[in-house]
Amino acid sequence: NFKNLNLSNIIEQTIFEFSSEAHKKDISLIFLKPETEIPEILGDEEMLRVVFQNLIENAIKYENRNDKIFISLKYNLKNKEVEISIRDTGIGIKKEDQARIFDKFYRGGNAIKKDETGTGLGLFAAKNIIEHHKGKIWVESKVKSGTTFFIKLPIS
């Protein structure tokens, strides 16, 4: 169900949905809003919401108490795309796990140690949704230093 969307509003609503869960762990969810207005993108709101929910939920799950999670939204005028990043300072993802993190049913070893629950489907679904939107998703991470997920989506 593709239509023109305001990503800033969707991200703000998703952050609000997880504010209680973050508060329980004394984690701050900080939205670094763009200085300029972001053009709308053509997308499926519910599917993109699933992606943001998954990434924010994972960041909270694998974050340490009293830490901060930064969510940013930027517009790249030159490439006519928006970039979303979700950065935490949690347990991180081992280099050898990063290549498989978007594989169906895959969970990294340190993620399993921190939280035994999980199906390994969230990031797989996120990648498929972003690719269906003609976008790109990737991860940069260092063990014990945190993880940043990046998403690029074309504007309408």
Side-chain angles (χ1 to χ4, degrees):
N1 188 14
F2 278 60
K3 60 184 177 182
N4 285 335
L5 303 173
N6 180 319
L7 278 181
S8 189
N9 289 345
I10 296 169
I11 292 170
E12 279 183 313
Q13 291 166 2
T14 307
I15 290 170
F16 179 76
E17 291 170 17
F18 285 94
S19 59
S20 177
E21 188 176 332
H23 182 72
K24 288 176 190 171
K25 288 183 72 176
D26 296 318
I27 294 171
S28 299
L29 296 173
I30 301 166
F31 185 22
L32 304 171
K33 294 181 184 179
E35 293 178 16
T36 58
E37 191 172 328
I38 301 288
E40 291 183 331
I41 67 152
L42 189 61
D44 183 313
E45 182 173 351
E46 292 308 311
M47 291 293 101
L48 289 174
R49 190 180 299 278
V50 166
V51 172
F52 301 140
Q53 288 169 338
N54 182 271
L55 294 176
I56 292 171
E57 183 177 38
N58 281 352
I60 292 169
K61 185 188 296 187
Y62 301 116
E63 186 68 296
N64 300 309
R65 285 196 159 297
N66 301 311
D67 276 338
K68 295 178 173 87
I69 296 169
F70 295 94
I71 300 105
S72 72
L73 175 61
K74 298 175 186 169
Y75 173 53
N76 184 325
L77 178 64
K78 183 178 143 192
N79 296 334
K80 294 190 172 158
E81 61 190 10
V82 293
E83 182 178 297
I84 302 106
S85 67
I86 298 172
R87 177 171 53 96
D88 66 55
T89 55
I91 63 172
I93 302 167
K94 293 179 183 176
K95 195 84 167 156
E96 59 268 21
D97 290 332
Q98 290 178 34
R100 298 194 54 213
I101 201 75
F102 295 103
D103 291 354
K104 193 174 190 177
F105 302 122
Y106 187 80
R107 293 189 70 220
N110 57 346
I112 293 169
K113 285 180 194 170
K114 176 98 177 180
D115 186 343
E116 291 181 11
T117 63
T119 61
L121 290 173
L123 293 175
F124 172 76
K127 182 178 185 200
N128 283 305
I129 291 167
I130 294 302
E131 288 177 350
H132 191 69
H133 283 79
K134 303 200 180 339
K136 180 180 174 186
I137 184 172
W138 72 98
V139 65
E140 293 177 6
S141 185
K142 243 182 158 173
V143 174
K144 297 183 183 175
S145 296
T147 300
T148 305
F149 281 91
F150 295 93
I151 298 169
K152 283 189 180 179
L153 294 167
I155 62 163
S156 300

